[in-house]
Amino acid sequence: MKIALIIENSQAAKSGTVHAALKAVAEPLGHQVHHYGMYSAEDGASLTYVMNGLLAGILLNSGAADFVVTGCGTGTGSMLAANAMPGVFCGLIVDPTDAFLFGQINDGNAIAMPYAKGFGWAAELNLQDCYRKLFEGDRGLGYPKERAEIMRRNRGILKDLKAVTCHDMLTVLKTVDPDLLKAAIAGERFEELFFANATDAAIRDHLRTVLQVA
């Protein structure tokens, strides 16, 4: 699985800590971690939590990522922005129990975490425990197990509902504020990671045009 990490500007100084915790858990399980920034508080390309959501939508809908890990001070802003995107189902994860239940019940494709609120001593251990609950073993098995089938049906109903309440991602990219889009994909490694992994040709071609204009 390709896991994309996105960090917004208010928490960019913690990027190394979050990245190291994610890699420590995900890579031994056979997953790839692609860090789309921010990498430090001094980065030239600054991401807001709104841009986190737009970038999550781009990565998931294009096939560049299978799962997105993002967040902000409380995690709430990034979660809301991500869930505004078509095909993105993002949960707010604070502790390992949240991670386990989100993976088993909701089986979404993105999480947002708080990197300021409650982020104190041994925070990196909490991050690793959350990632472990998410990425070890199979997701979507249900909890409790006897409710697995109704949970599976509800996930399908929600997916269908979102498909009719959201525009497709290419339409979003063609109609969103162009300055917001350019800023969201301005990271120093975006082109390197995105074009090597994205599988949706239409989204790829459109963003290539946007980057050439920028």
Side-chain angles (χ1 to χ4, degrees), residues 54 57-58 61-62 85-86 167-174 203:
L54 180 55
I58 290 169
N61 283 280
S62 68
M85 295 294 108
H167 294 295
D168 65 276
M169 197 66 210
L170 187 59
T171 299
V172 172
L173 296 177
K174 289 180 176 180
I203 293 177

Side-chain angles (χ1 to χ4, degrees), residues 12-41:
K14 297 167 185 167
S15 177
T17 299
V18 178
H19 188 207
L22 180 56
K23 286 182 63 176
V25 172
E27 290 187 346
L29 295 172
H31 305 305
Q32 303 171 46
V33 176
H34 298 163
H35 193 351
Y36 280 83
M38 297 174 62
Y39 307 103
S40 74

